[in-house]
Amino acid sequence: MTLNLDIEDFLANSWQKKPCLIKQGFAAFSDLISPEILAGLAMEEDADSRIVQTNANTESGWLVVHGPFEEYESFGESDWTLLVQSVNEWVPEVGELLHPFRFLPDWRLDDIMVSFSCENGGVGPHVDQYDVFIIQGAGKRRWRVGNRQPLQELQPTEGLCLVNNDFNVVIDEELESGDVLYIPAGCPHDGIALEPSLNYSVGFRAPSQAELLWQLGDSAMANDVLTKRYTDPDSQAPLSGYEITEQQLDAVKSLLIEAISSDESSDLIARLLSQSKRPLVEPELPVTAEQIPAMLEQGAAFIERAPGARLLCLNNDTFYLNGEKLEVPEAAQQAATQLAKMHGSSPATELKATFSTPESQAFLAEVINLGGYYFFIDEAPE
């Protein structure tokens, strides 16, 4: 699956700067999931799903209902949208849509939300705090998109935050199958289905300072690091019990800056960025390094990255997977790098040379045992 995009031009002129429409970004695009399978997925207890209904019988005309769902007939045949988060972690074919966007950092990739809209379905004009690529599947949808601008927000119903509908528009287009719409964080947009439609939204994480600080502090406590405490040995009398002095405030800020700038903080941040949204599934029986050579000899065997797993590298030599720091000896560094670069599945026999040393085999066994990668046999008939 190839994205028809001039990446250098896009990064220089559009990424986080302005919205853009990529007509036929995916030529001859074929849907990766059917509306029926998506509807079935939204019936699962563990799936994060919701329906947004407009022209509903409510005071505001809007209604948000969270799954799991038991039926859809009560919503009628128009004016509603079903949205399911992280479909890439449920349906491998949908996960393949991440690969064309890996010109951006893996740790920024969040998930793929898939939505099915009946005619006139939509979620209203709104702003997202993350960057998103929206790929049009079956059907047609009209999109109106604006640059960042002052906006008034309203909440017509619980779980739905909208903006004033008269925002200044720079894109007003009907999207057809294979068209790709890029919308930077903070840009207002509104999509309305002109007919039953499928959309795939590839979202990118953009954590706030508060979120990062909270997660960093929580991780530091769990790992018993960044334990240096505030001290003020140079305090001078008299002191007022109710007053915070500029000297004290500067000392507290310096303590925090020192923590953020430390090597321990770098390690904690890398752990956080490597974490998966959902728990990774570990194998029922642990794999040993000694088993790896025989596994790689099997002709119908494949190794694939688990949905949602992130194998990241810090400073070219330190690897992280799902919050864990991996001890990778120099003899396994090249193999670890190749595995981190690997997209989709690879035939096991093609990886024999990469994982030919005891150190690289031990590394492969470790990431399989952590649930980041898995080994499977393709038993499909020829």
Side-chain angles (χ1 to χ4, degrees):
M1 191 178 299
T2 302
L3 176 61
N4 299 319
L5 176 68
D6 184 330
I7 293 174
E8 290 187 5
D9 178 74
F10 172 79
L11 292 175
N13 298 304
S14 296
W15 174 246
Q16 296 203 321
K17 302 176 185 68
K18 64 179 182 180
C20 70
L21 176 60
I22 309 162
K23 293 294 292 182
Q24 288 302 286
F26 291 103
F29 182 79
S30 296
D31 278 299
L32 305 169
I33 189 173
S34 68
E36 294 77 14
I37 296 296
L38 186 70
L41 178 57
M43 293 180 172
E44 296 289 338
E45 185 70 33
D46 294 334
D48 182 359
S49 61
R50 68 190 189 277
I51 283 178
V52 178
Q53 188 174 16
T54 184
N55 293 326
N57 187 25
T58 62
E59 182 177 351
S60 67
W62 292 93
L63 180 65
V64 178
V65 183
H66 291 271
F69 297 97
E70 296 181 355
E71 56 82 30
Y72 299 95
E73 288 79 7
S74 60
F75 294 101
E77 297 183 357
S78 64
D79 303 313
W80 59 272
T81 295
L82 169 67
L83 306 102
V84 185
Q85 298 289 153
S86 301
V87 178
N88 54 294
E89 299 185 12
W90 292 84
V91 182
E93 291 80 4
V94 173
E96 293 176 3
L97 194 53
L98 289 173
H99 305 327
F101 297 97
R102 284 209 156 102
F103 61 88
L104 296 162
D106 271 3
W107 72 264
R108 288 291 309 274
L109 283 169
D110 190 14
D111 71 350
I112 298 178
M113 180 186 73
V114 182
S115 63
F116 170 75
S117 296
C118 296
E119 183 179 353
N120 202 42
V123 299
H126 65 285
V127 167
D128 294 318
Q129 298 306 320
Y130 53 84
D131 296 84
V132 63
F133 291 87
I134 300 175
I135 299 97
Q136 181 68 40
K140 295 181 181 180
R141 184 186 290 264
R142 179 193 176 194
W143 282 98
R144 298 165 53 250
V145 187
N147 288 318
R148 297 184 184 99
Q149 56 193 275
L151 297 163
Q152 294 179 342
E153 293 188 340
L154 63 149
Q155 190 171 5
T157 187
E158 185 176 357
L160 187 65
C161 185
L162 303 181
V163 299
N164 50 306
N165 195 39
D166 58 349
F167 61 85
N168 296 323
V169 172
V170 294
I171 293 176
D172 188 344
E173 294 278 353
E174 291 183 11
L175 267 63
E176 299 180 333
S177 181
D179 291 344
V180 180
L181 180 62
Y182 166 67
I183 306 174
C187 291
H189 52 285
D190 184 22
I192 299 177
L194 304 178
E195 57 190 39
S197 299
L198 277 171
N199 285 89
Y200 305 79
S201 299
V202 182
F204 289 79
R205 296 195 294 181
S208 68
Q209 292 171 316
E211 290 169 335
L212 287 172
L213 287 171
W214 176 77
Q215 293 173 348
L216 186 63
D218 193 51
S219 182
M221 295 287 286
N223 289 277
D224 195 27
V225 296
L226 305 183
T227 57
K228 183 177 179 180
R229 293 185 176 274
Y230 173 81
T231 60
D232 49 9
D234 298 325
S235 296
Q236 298 179 359
L239 297 176
S240 299
Y242 63 85
E243 185 179 10
I244 302 173
T245 68
E246 286 295 328
Q247 181 182 9
Q248 293 164 354
L249 194 61
D250 289 343
V252 171
K253 290 182 178 180
S254 295
L255 186 68
L256 291 173
I257 292 171
E258 181 181 343
I260 294 294
S261 303
S262 67
D263 291 339
E264 290 90 346
S265 180
S266 298
D267 175 68
L268 292 176
I269 292 172
R271 290 174 185 266
L272 292 174
L273 299 182
S274 73
Q275 286 181 342
S276 304
K277 290 184 67 174
R278 297 164 58 89
L280 298 179
V281 180
E282 299 177 8
E284 294 183 4
L285 295 176
V287 174
T288 66
E290 291 73 22
Q291 292 174 305
I292 294 297
M295 293 168 64
L296 297 179
E297 286 289 346
Q298 300 187 54
F302 291 81
I303 291 176
E304 183 164 334
R305 182 186 302 194
R310 297 182 177 92
L311 178 60
L312 305 179
C313 181
L314 176 66
N315 296 328
N316 298 318
D317 60 4
T318 308
F319 289 83
Y320 295 83
L321 174 65
N322 199 28
E324 298 286 340
K325 181 180 179 179
L326 308 180
E327 298 297 334
V328 185
E330 186 175 351
Q333 290 281 330
Q334 186 174 354
T337 299
Q338 183 167 334
L339 196 64
K341 292 179 178 179
M342 191 179 82
H343 296 164
S345 60
S346 292
T349 53
E350 293 183 5
L351 297 173
K352 287 192 299 183
T354 300
F355 297 97
S356 60
T357 65
E359 294 85 358
S360 62
Q361 292 160 7
F363 174 78
L364 181 56
E366 181 179 15
V367 296
I368 291 175
N369 290 332
L370 288 172
Y373 291 77
Y374 61 94
F375 176 88
F376 68 97
I377 305 293
D378 185 0
E379 298 178 348
E382 297 182 359

